[in-house]
Amino acid sequence: MTIFSRLLTAFSLVLALSLAAPEASAQVNPTQSSVTEDALFQALGTAPVTGRVTIPDANAGYLIKPENKSWAVLQGQTLHTLSIVAVLGMIALLLLFYLIRGRIRVESGFSGRKILRFNAIERFAHWTLATTFIILALTGLNLIIGKSVILPLFGEAAFGTLSTWGKIAHNYLAWPFMVALVMILLLWIVHNVPNKVDLEWIKKGGGLFSKGVHPPARKFNAGQKLIFWSVVLGGAALSYTGIMLLFPAEAGTAADWQFYQTIHALVAAGLSAIVIAHIYIGSVGMEGAFDAMGSGEVDENWAKEHHGLWVEEVQSTQARNTAQVTTPAE
C-alpha cells in the first residue's frame, strides 16, 4: 500500500467517525452510573439485544427482550407479593384460630383401643408426597423471594450455593412427587367422592368451631376431601407446567413458557397455603390426629368423634369376619 493510499484510508475513517458522532451522542451509555433500566429499555425500543450461539436453539442468544418487561414486573412484584400473602396470611389465620379455639381435644378421652386407619403403603405414599412437596415449595419460594429475603440476610455466597442446590433438588424431586401423587390418587379416590354426608359436615363446620359438635363422616370428611382434590388437581397442574419449564422446547413460544411459569407459581402459592393448614390440623391443631400418619393406628374414641360412620363400617366388617371364622363348617 502506498503512502497516498494510507492517507486516503485514514481520511475516510476520520470522516466516517465525524458523521457518526451526532448519532452516537444520542445513544445511552450503559457504563454511566446515572443510566436506569427504564432508560435502557427506551433506548432499545422494540429491538432485542442478542448474541451469537452455536446450538440449534436460536432463542438462547437473546440477552434482553424489551417486550418481556411486563412479564419481569409480574415475576418480581405481583407473584412476589401473592406468594408472601398466601403463606404468611395462612399462618396468621391459623394462629388466630388457635388463640380462639385452642387445640381440638378428644372430648371423651383416649380409650386405649386402636383402629388401623392407614396401612404402610398409604403412609409411604403420603410421606413421599409430603416431603417432596415441602422441599419443592421451599426451593421454588426461594426463586421468587430469595433475592429480597435470603440474600440480604446470608450474603451472596450462601445465597448462590443455596440456590444452586435448590435448583437441582427442585428438578429431580419433582419426579418422586409425581409418582406419589399418582399413588394417593389410586389409593384414596374411592374414599373422596363427594356425597350427601359431606353437606351435613359442612353445615356444622366439621365441628372445628364448636366444642361437642361431631358431624358424621366416613373415612374422609368433607374438609379432607377438599384437601385431597386440591392436592391432586393442583399437583397435576404443577407437574404439567413443571415439565414444560424443564423442557421449554416442548412448551412452544416464549409467551407459552411465560404462561406456564406464571401458572406454576400461582398454583404453588395457593397449594402451599392449603398444605400449611393441613399440617396444622394434622399436628398441633387436633389431638390424636398425627397418629393416623404416624403409626397408622388411631384411638377408637378419636375415630368415633371425627369419623363415626367409618368406625361403624370397620367394626361391622370385623364382626362379619369374626362370625365367619367362628361359625363351624357344615
Side-chain angles (χ1 to χ4, degrees), residues 179-191:
V179 172
L181 185 67
V182 173
M183 288 182 66
I184 69 160
L185 175 64
L186 297 177
L187 289 169
W188 292 338
I189 188 172
V190 67
H191 301 293

Side-chain angles (χ1 to χ4, degrees), residues 247-275:
F247 306 101
E250 303 298 325
T253 65
D256 295 325
W257 188 90
Q258 292 172 4
F259 171 77
Y260 289 131
Q261 199 281 335
T262 302
I263 296 300
H264 194 82
L266 289 173
V267 174
L271 193 55
S272 295
I274 293 174
V275 170

Side-chain angles (χ1 to χ4, degrees), residues 217-242:
R218 292 191 169 89
K219 186 166 185 175
F220 288 83
N221 58 44
Q224 292 167 329
K225 290 179 181 180
L226 177 62
I227 293 175
F228 173 83
W229 288 112
S230 297
V231 170
V232 168
L233 297 178
L238 290 175
S239 300
Y240 178 75
T241 55

Side-chain angles (χ1 to χ4, degrees), residues 15 150 253:
L15 179 62
I150 298 178
T253 65

Side-chain angles (χ1 to χ4, degrees), residues 115-119 122 219 224 292 296-298 302 307 310:
I115 297 179
L116 179 64
R117 181 155 173 78
F118 296 114
N119 59 37
E122 291 174 304
K219 186 166 185 175
Q224 292 167 329
E297 295 182 326
V298 294
W302 178 92
H307 302 275
W310 171 70

